[in-house]
Amino acid sequence: MNYLNKLKKLNMNKLMIVFTGLLLVTAACGQKEEVKKDTTPKVEARDLKGLKIAFYYNDSLKTQFKYFKDEEAIITKKQKAFEAEIQRRSNEYQSFIQRNNERLQSGQLSEFDAQQIQQKAQKMEASLMQYQQNEGAKLEKESFNKSTAINKKIEAFGKEFSEKNGIDLLLMHGPGGQINFVNPSMDVTTEFVNFLNEKQAEIEKDLK
């Protein structure tokens, strides 16, 4: 009797396993396979045969492009004037301190006079620092704005120069750049600088 019961239980367990397996298969068949989208970028193949590449030396623009030189000369002149004024004020401050220290040591100044001189010295020092910060910031901003405006003009005229001469890619070569070597036969520095200098009047008019 016990043997028959065990046999029945064993058969029931087998039936449950088979039934569960059928359910899993049915559920899997009912699920739709996820369709993966193709994310590969569509890049159009291009024939580079006949591509015209040229470059110019950036340093040459600083020495040969007239407008660039003129503007740089203006900034340099203002920079030197700024530094000279700082030096003048600094010398005046140091002279004031030294002169009155000598008077104090020789007993020519009262305690009240010494306090007044100290206050004046502090004002002179504060004025010097304020001038250095304010005028220095103005000069730096002016230099940055001029440089940005000129670079934008060079970029715009570079496009015009390239289109006029059938250049597909115009590169800028210089220290710290990304170009290690370019065949010298591709050098159009002289031609590009001459082109920019021909646009001198137009550049000056736009950047005023």
Side-chain angles (χ1 to χ4, degrees):
M1 185 68 178
N2 291 333
Y3 175 78
L4 291 174
N5 289 334
K6 289 182 180 180
L7 185 59
K8 288 180 179 180
K9 288 182 179 180
L10 182 60
N11 290 333
M12 288 295 294
N13 289 336
K14 289 182 177 179
L15 287 172
M16 289 297 294
I17 292 172
V18 172
F19 181 70
T20 303
L22 288 173
L23 287 176
L24 292 174
V25 171
T26 303
C29 291
Q31 292 180 350
K32 294 182 179 179
E33 291 186 5
E34 184 180 352
V35 179
K36 293 184 178 180
K37 294 182 179 180
D38 183 9
T39 57
T40 304
K42 307 298 181 184
V43 180
E44 181 182 352
R46 298 178 185 273
D47 182 8
L48 300 182
K49 185 178 180 181
L51 181 70
K52 189 174 181 180
I53 302 175
F55 78 94
Y56 64 90
Y57 287 104
N58 188 42
D59 287 347
S60 296
L61 264 63
K62 298 178 181 179
T63 58
Q64 300 176 28
F65 179 23
K66 187 176 183 305
Y67 188 80
F68 193 102
K69 289 195 301 179
D70 292 346
E71 291 301 302
E72 190 174 59
I74 292 172
I75 293 297
T76 300
K77 184 178 180 180
K78 289 184 177 181
Q79 179 69 32
K80 288 182 178 179
F82 168 69
E83 292 172 355
E85 179 61 17
I86 290 177
Q87 188 63 50
R88 185 193 69 78
R89 294 191 182 201
S90 180
N91 291 341
E92 184 180 0
Y93 170 72
Q94 294 295 336
S95 177
F96 179 80
I97 294 294
Q98 183 178 355
R99 185 172 63 254
N100 285 285
N101 275 338
E102 292 173 355
R103 292 176 64 195
L104 181 63
Q105 291 175 4
S106 63
Q108 299 179 27
L109 298 176
S110 64
E111 184 177 348
F112 176 78
D113 291 335
Q115 290 177 351
Q116 293 296 314
I117 289 172
Q118 184 179 7
Q119 290 178 3
K120 184 176 180 180
Q122 290 174 347
K123 288 181 180 179
M124 290 176 69
E125 184 180 16
S127 176
L128 173 60
M129 295 298 294
Q130 185 175 9
Y131 174 82
Q132 187 173 1
Q133 291 176 359
N134 293 346
E135 295 303 316
K138 287 180 183 178
L139 188 59
E140 185 177 356
K141 183 179 180 181
E142 181 181 356
S143 177
F144 175 79
N145 290 340
K146 282 183 178 294
S147 177
T148 301
I150 291 173
N151 287 334
K152 286 182 178 179
K153 277 295 175 185
I154 291 174
E155 182 179 351
F157 284 120
K159 180 176 181 294
E160 184 178 339
F161 175 79
S162 298
E163 291 174 345
K164 183 178 179 180
N165 293 278
I167 297 172
D168 300 297
L169 187 62
L170 180 62
L171 306 175
M172 179 179 68
H173 191 18
Q178 297 179 349
I179 303 172
N180 182 275
F181 171 78
V182 186
N183 192 309
S185 64
M186 298 179 180
D187 185 4
V188 294
T189 303
T190 301
E191 292 81 1
F192 186 45
V193 169
N194 291 339
F195 179 80
L196 290 173
N197 286 331
E198 289 173 2
K199 300 289 184 177
Q200 178 81 6
E202 185 176 339
I203 293 173
E204 290 178 348
K205 181 180 178 181
D206 291 342
L207 295 182
K208 282 183 178 180

